[in-house]
Amino acid sequence: MASEYIFFDADLRERFVQALAARALACQVRADAMEGFVVRIPDDPADEVLAAVEADYEILMDEQMLRAEERPDWVSHQVAGVRFTRADGSAGTVRLPAPVARSLMEHFTAEEAHALVTAIAHSLENPVDGPLCRKG
């Protein structure tokens, strides 16, 4: 499964791309449809490499947040997206208010947030009425 990372600052995007190159990971960069840049890692790296990449991304996201807070035109509309995978394999994004996203990312890794939102999406696609203890 490919991993995608979004940046709104070209300098931070470039630092991330350089960190990927230092780990010998190929990536693709494209402009985001709304704003910013998407960095995509097409291959699924080993767990320890992915954990290091996620740690790099979190550090850059903290810096991106600080930069955004310094720009009034960036903080007028605060929202974040969490990617998920539907039961049919197609991808989607859940838009979250910034305070909810911030709390989520403080307590979960990006992979855990993806798994959580994917589980919610699957539950919405295939609802099971009745008690929780009943097998679906």
Side-chain angles (χ1 to χ4, degrees):
M1 178 173 88
S3 299
E4 292 185 340
Y5 304 87
I6 189 151
F7 293 90
F8 298 104
D9 183 285
D11 175 56
L12 297 177
R13 177 210 60 210
E14 194 54 36
R15 286 175 37 199
F16 188 70
V17 168
Q18 289 173 3
L20 294 175
R23 290 191 169 80
L25 291 173
C27 70
Q28 301 160 341
V29 178
R30 70 175 192 277
D32 183 59
M34 291 178 21
E35 185 177 351
F37 313 93
V38 175
V39 177
R40 182 176 191 267
I41 303 173
D43 299 322
D44 196 16
D47 289 343
E48 62 275 0
V49 174
L50 187 58
V53 168
E54 294 291 337
D56 289 345
Y57 184 67
E58 287 182 34
I59 290 168
L60 293 171
M61 286 300 93
D62 289 342
E63 189 171 339
Q64 185 164 269
M65 183 179 66
L66 293 173
R67 289 183 183 193
E69 289 173 350
E70 293 173 357
R71 294 189 51 185
D73 58 319
W74 279 19
V75 293
S76 63
H77 179 68
Q78 295 183 3
V79 66
V82 177
R83 304 273 302 159
F84 68 91
T85 307
R86 294 181 183 90
D88 68 2
S90 63
T93 301
V94 171
R95 294 171 59 97
L96 299 173
V100 173
R102 202 172 292 120
S103 179
L104 181 68
M105 298 315 286
E106 284 176 7
H107 300 285
F108 293 89
T109 65
E111 186 175 271
E112 290 169 332
H114 175 268
L116 173 66
V117 174
T118 295
I120 292 169
H122 288 195
S123 181
L124 291 170
E125 290 175 331
N126 302 295
V128 176
D129 293 328
L132 290 176
C133 60
R134 187 182 81 188
K135 289 188 177 184

